């Protein structure tokens, strides 16, 4: 057989090194990702590649049995199994079933109204990075027994470390077991788990089905991205991916009533106990009969099954009646948590010759032969129609168990699920993703509409598909002409729709995220906290990669918010409007100005890199605690590029994956309180480090301190540190900074085109309700002028060369007295009075603030420090273009200061003297 990684391996030089079974367990595909172009595609997970349900389920059962053997029955009875959304939800279930004694919970990316979060963590390499934990019983995670973490692939260890860090602080325990189908860590990552275990004082074991690593040649990321760009044009959304009957064909869809047990969870999102497993097992035979009847229903696509469902004497024949248990290889005693030993004292295994034995052996080699077609005499498939059971994103376990029940009845069944992950499809035997169907999301996701995918379904020769979804996803979008049902019907003759009732806990006692497990008096979770959406991320919102930053904003891209600069200025100064209620028209730089930006970036990149390194190392030295990582929270939008660069420095220098978000703060209105609520629900407030680009006179520094004090008094949440970490602090307003020099930071030269194409934030009562995040716009139409990532890459490229200088700077800073002197504020007050302005808000000190005045406001004049020409070329050009005088002055603590016209009305002209009559 052709290995399904051949196509990628030949073009990129990628190699799988390790166990002989790896090629049978893993194929390769390509995706768009700024860190990793290749995708390891599991053939036994049942996600992207349709596989026999018994193989998928058996691989998890085997891993669970190995965990039980490692822990022993006593410790296994105290354990909790935690699986990862979306790919490992069924795998985690199966591991819990193999363990036999433990309750199960999986993370989710779907907030549930009225259900409080018991925690969360980040999966930085994923396309959707934030995970929620929503157990019905918060005590599920509060025990001190072993925590078993299950994922399909253990690649770097970052996700597991992020999870354990987040949970160990709140629910410390002595033992963790990490379980994965494959352990693909590099040599550099192998020691991190042991070091981390020593750091937190716990034992961490790892169990995998196979082990190895991926060898990547130099330049593989760029080559992979080029290949994706070259081939993905053939798979435009809605175009289908294999010859079919055409999207206009009326779907032949039969709905089946599943007789789902009342009150039984549809999955492990809120917890799944051994008793739940027993109830599901009892109901599976009846549900399998209902599905078979729906497959045979008299209609255009009704299927005919052979009279004999399985050959006499076959393993399938012994199971086809469905009257017995449909859980191959798992005894009732194992399911109920009692002793699983027979009279001889050995663990009861699957019956010889059963399908369970075929896939649940302990060796990776045996599993590889089963799934890879390498056995000399593979068992012939059952006669009759080929049926695909298709699950839905996180809803993987219920479809899998229905698939095993149908397989037990002797049907020829495969199983896979839909997914959020965008992957390139190439119709080649040596490529793991042959076809893809693209359809709109149909479950009203919290992060907004988007595309979803079903891989290797079209063109695979299926006679029928049983689509299993929860009731939340049974929406008009599912049944729309471009929806999933129509896409399936265009390629498969018979479509059966099975809807499982979505489970919502009847009561969800709320335990604050910073509470200890001993808290016994629970209060109701504030509705506004549970309803807050997940952060917006690129490429749907912003041109930054999704792992670079999560925006705690609401998307107002379709709202007309821009107003002419002069009109805005008059409204602001007359008191008729706040500056945050509208947006200035985005400044489009001239060719000459763009040349100045690129020249400034070339000359200052190393200087910025040094400041980035200095402020990041200072934060790590002073804010990192054992078992904790700083959580970077940028003040949008000027702070966002700096936060991304700090995150990149921590990753490049220390291998740390720091969470990073951007939040809105508005002068006179404070910080977004809902964003703080979200942060407090997902992270320890003491880990939060607020980040901004620079300080001027320190107004935002004071605004943040006042807002945090007010928030904590109102919410009863404590721990947020209002100190801001900035790249440059010329006003001497903060303790944590990269430099106190006032120099040109090129990201201050432009607006959205250097800030991920995101607008300044918006706060207007008719658009932002009391339970909403502040708003922002994504200027997709400016993509051709976007230099956001070019700016980041240019600075990050200089990290290595400034390392020694950063170390010296940090050593000096940590030993110095960095108490703010607020000399910038004193200078602003002096200038305000000297020039007759009498309003410090109209005096904008520093290169960055002066640039903002020229780009967004109605400037009166510019004060330039004599001799500071090197950093002011762009300021002088903007002043020239707007007809604003530049006045050379001495003894200025900043390189320049921008003065907003103090009495602006439309028709006003520039100033001709220092004195202005005040109103």
């Amino acid at each position: 057989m052709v290995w399904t990684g051949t196509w990628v391996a030949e073009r990129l030089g990628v190699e799988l090194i390790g166990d002989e079974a790896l090629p049978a367990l893993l194929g390769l595909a390509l995706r768009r990702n700024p860190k990793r172009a290749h995708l390891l595609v599991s053939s036994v997970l049942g996600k992207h590649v349709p596989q026999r349900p018994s193989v998928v389920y058996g691989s998890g059962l085997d891993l669970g049995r190995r965990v039980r053997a490692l822990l022993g029955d006593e410790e296994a009875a105290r354990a909790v199994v935690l699986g990862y959304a979306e790919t490992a939800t069924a795998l985690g279930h199966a591991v819990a079933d193999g363990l036999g004694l433990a309750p199960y919970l999986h993370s989710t990316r779907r907030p549930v109204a009225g259900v409080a979060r018991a925690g969360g963590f980040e999966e930085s390499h994923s396309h959707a990075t934030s995970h929620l934990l929503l157990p019905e019983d918060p005590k599920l995670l509060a025990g001190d027994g072993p925590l078993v973490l299950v994922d399909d692939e253990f690649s770097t260890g970052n996700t597991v470390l992020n999870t354990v860090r987040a949970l160990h602080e709140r629910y410390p325990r002595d033992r963790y077991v990490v379980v994965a189908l494959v352990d693909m860590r590099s040599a550099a990552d192998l020691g991190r788990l042991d070091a981390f275990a020593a750091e937190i004082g716990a034992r961490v074991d790892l169990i995998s089905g196979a082990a190895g690593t991926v060898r990547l040649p130099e330049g593989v990321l760029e080559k992979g991205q080029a290949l994706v760009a070259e081939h993905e044009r053939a798979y435009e959304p809605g175009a289908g991916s294999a010859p079919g009957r055409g999207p206009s064909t009326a779907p032949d869809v039969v709905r089946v009533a599943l007789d789902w047990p009342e009150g039984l969870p549809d999955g492990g999102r809120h917890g799944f106990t051994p008793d739940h497993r027993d109830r599901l097992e009892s109901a599976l035979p009846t549900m399998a009969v209902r599905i078979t009847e729906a497959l045979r229903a008299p209609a255009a696509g009704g299927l005919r099954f052979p009279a004999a469902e399985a050959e006499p004497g076959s393993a399938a024949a012994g199971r086809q009646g469905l009257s017995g248990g449909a859980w191959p290889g798992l005894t009732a005693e194992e399911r109920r948590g009692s002793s699983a030993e027979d009279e001889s004292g050995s663990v009861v295994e699957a019956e010889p010759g059963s399908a369970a034995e075929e896939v649940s052996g302990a060796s990776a080699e045996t599993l590889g032969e089963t799934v890879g077609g390498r056995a000399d005499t593979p068992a012939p498939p059952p006669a009759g129609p080929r049926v695909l059971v298709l699950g839905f994103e996180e809803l993987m376990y219920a479809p899998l168990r229905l698939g095993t029940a149908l397989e037990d009845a002797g049907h020829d069944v495969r199983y896979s699920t839909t997914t959020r992950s965008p992957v390139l499809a190439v119709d080649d035997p040596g490529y793991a993703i042959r076809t893809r169907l693209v359809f709109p999301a149909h479950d009203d996701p919290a992060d907004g509409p988007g595309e979803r995918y079903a891989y290797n379904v079209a063109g695979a020769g299926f006679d029928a598909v049983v689509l299993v979804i929860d009731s939340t996803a049974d929406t008009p979008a599912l049944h729309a002409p471009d929806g999933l049902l129509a896409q399936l019907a265009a390629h498969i003759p018979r479509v059966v729709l099975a809807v499982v009732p979505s489970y919502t806990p009847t009561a969800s006692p709320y335990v604050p995220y910073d509470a200890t497990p001993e808290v016994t008096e629970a209060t109701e979770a504030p509705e506004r906290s549970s309803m807050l959406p997940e952060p917006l991320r690129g490429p749907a919102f912003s041109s930054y990669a999704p792992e670079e930053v999560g925006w705690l904003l609401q998307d107002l891209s379709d709202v007309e918010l821009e107003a002419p600069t002069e009109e805005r200025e008059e409204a602001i100064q007359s008191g008729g409007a706040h500056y945050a209620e509208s947006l200035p028209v985005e400044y489009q730089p001239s060719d000459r100005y763009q040349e100045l930006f690129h020249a400034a970036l070339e000359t200052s990149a190393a200087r910025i890199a040094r400041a980035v390194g200095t402020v990041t190392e200072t934060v790590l030295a002073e804010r990192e605690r054992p078992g904790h990582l700083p959580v970077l929270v940028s003040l949008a939008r000027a702070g966002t590029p700096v936060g991304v660069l700090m995150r990149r420095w921590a990753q490049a220098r220390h291998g740390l994956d720091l969470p990073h978000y951007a939040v809105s703060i508005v002068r006179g209105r404070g910080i977004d309180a809902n964003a703080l609520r979200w942060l407090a629900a997902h992270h320890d407030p003491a880990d939060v480090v607020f980040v901004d680009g620079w300080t001027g006179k320190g107004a935002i520094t004071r605004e943040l301190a006042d807002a945090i004090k007010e928030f904590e008094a109102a919410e009863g949440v404590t721990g947020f540190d209002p100190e801001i970490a900035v790249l440059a602090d010329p006003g001497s307003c903060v303790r944590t900074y990269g430099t106190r020099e006032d120099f040109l930071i090129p990201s201050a030269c432009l607006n959205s085109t250097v800030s991920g194409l995101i607008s300044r934030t918006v706060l207007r009562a008719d658009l932002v309700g009391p339970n909403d995040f502040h708003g922002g716009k994504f200027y997709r139409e400016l993509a051709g002028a976007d230099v956001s990532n070019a700016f980041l890459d240019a600075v990050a490229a200089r990290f290595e060369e400034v390392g020694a200088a950063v170390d010296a700077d940090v050593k000096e800073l940590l030993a110095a007295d960095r108490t703010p002197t607020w000399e910038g504020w004193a200078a602003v007050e002096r200038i305000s009075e000297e020039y007759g302005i009498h309003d410090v808000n109209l005096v904008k000190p520093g290169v960055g603030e002066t640039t903002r005045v020229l780009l967004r406001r109605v400037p009166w004049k510019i004060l330039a420090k004599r001799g500071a020409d090197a950093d002011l070329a762009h300021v002088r050009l903007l002043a020239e273009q707007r007809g604003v005088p530049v006045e050379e002055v001495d003894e200025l603590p900043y390189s320049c200061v921008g003065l907003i016209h103090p009495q602006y009305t439309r028709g006003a002209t520039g100033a001709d003297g220092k004195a202005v009559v005040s109103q």
Side-chain angles (χ1 to χ4, degrees), residues 106 148 181 220 278 361 412 494 498 509 516 591 721 746 774 890:
H106 71 69
V148 181
L181 287 173
V220 67
D278 287 343
D412 186 7
R494 165 52 58 100
T516 61
D591 290 343
D721 185 347
H774 293 187
D890 296 309

Side-chain angles (χ1 to χ4, degrees), residues 118 452 657 825 880:
R452 301 295 185 262
D657 226 345
W825 188 276
E880 175 188 321

